[in-house]
Amino acid sequence: MTAKTFYGTSWQALDRARRQVLQTVRAERESPRRPGAVLYTTSRIKSPESACRKLRQRGLPPTPQAALTRLRDTVGVRVICAFQDDVYQMARYLEERPEFAVLQTKDYISHPKENGYRSYHLILGILEGPGKGVTVEVQLRTIATDCWASLEHQIKYKRQVPHEGLVREELKRCADEIASVDLSMETIRELLEGA
């Protein structure tokens, strides 16, 4: 079943919300204030399989209505930035936009998850514009943490992981090293900008 079929007439509203957030990010990305801060973006409308799995995990009925009313990440936008301070600047930009209400923030950069995951998450309610009434989850990361998260995701969703404890320890070690590299790269940029 496709997302269009699953969400029915609501799919267009979800797609409008997805495109509205992407357009807002793109406008800031093209701003002369901070060229190159955003490297790229990705987006998606949650697949029926993923939505139903998440609803079942929460003890909710696996229906389109439940996905639309009980999940806040049915629409997702990922913003990949060059540097950590670019992540925070883009987050502030989105948080200050009058067309969005910030429903929730989670700063996994300052407070990483136990497994080493680092990202900044925003749940935005769209107050005005083409996506009005829809909530969108925005994940902001550096390119280095996005690479780590992609690999961790591949491992996490495998059913049988041999030496799982060792794999998780190594992933955590890599996450810490990547965070250190992010800080070093930011320091180098600051030195070059100050020169």
Side-chain angles (χ1 to χ4, degrees), residues 9-127:
T9 57
S10 298
W11 185 87
Q12 288 182 340
L14 298 174
D15 191 52
R16 285 193 301 269
R18 180 187 66 80
R19 285 186 280 126
Q20 181 178 350
V21 173
L22 283 172
Q23 185 176 9
T24 302
V25 170
R26 193 171 297 120
E28 178 64 1
R29 178 184 183 181
E30 294 168 359
S31 162
R33 288 180 296 215
R34 195 86 175 176
V38 175
L39 299 174
Y40 60 91
T41 58
T42 62
S43 64
R44 58 102 180 107
I45 295 174
K46 193 177 276 295
S47 72
E49 297 78 19
S50 180
C52 290
R53 182 173 49 249
K54 191 167 193 175
L55 289 164
R56 282 190 202 97
Q57 288 170 348
R58 294 182 176 186
L60 298 168
T63 63
Q65 186 60 27
L68 292 166
T69 59
R70 304 298 298 272
L71 299 180
R72 293 175 145 191
D73 66 343
T74 302
V75 177
V77 172
R78 188 166 294 149
V79 180
I80 308 306
C81 298
F83 298 96
Q84 210 171 80
D85 72 334
D86 295 332
V87 167
Y88 285 111
Q89 285 188 357
M90 181 56 72
R92 278 193 301 278
Y93 170 75
L94 292 171
E95 289 166 348
E96 293 169 358
R97 301 294 306 164
E99 67 269 29
F100 302 141
V102 179
L103 304 177
Q104 185 177 27
T105 62
K106 290 184 181 177
D107 184 352
Y108 295 119
I109 296 172
S110 295
H111 308 286
K113 287 187 175 184
E114 192 174 302
N115 66 355
Y117 177 81
R118 288 170 170 82
S119 187
Y120 193 96
H121 292 201
L122 288 169
I123 301 292
L124 301 176
I126 300 182
L127 302 174

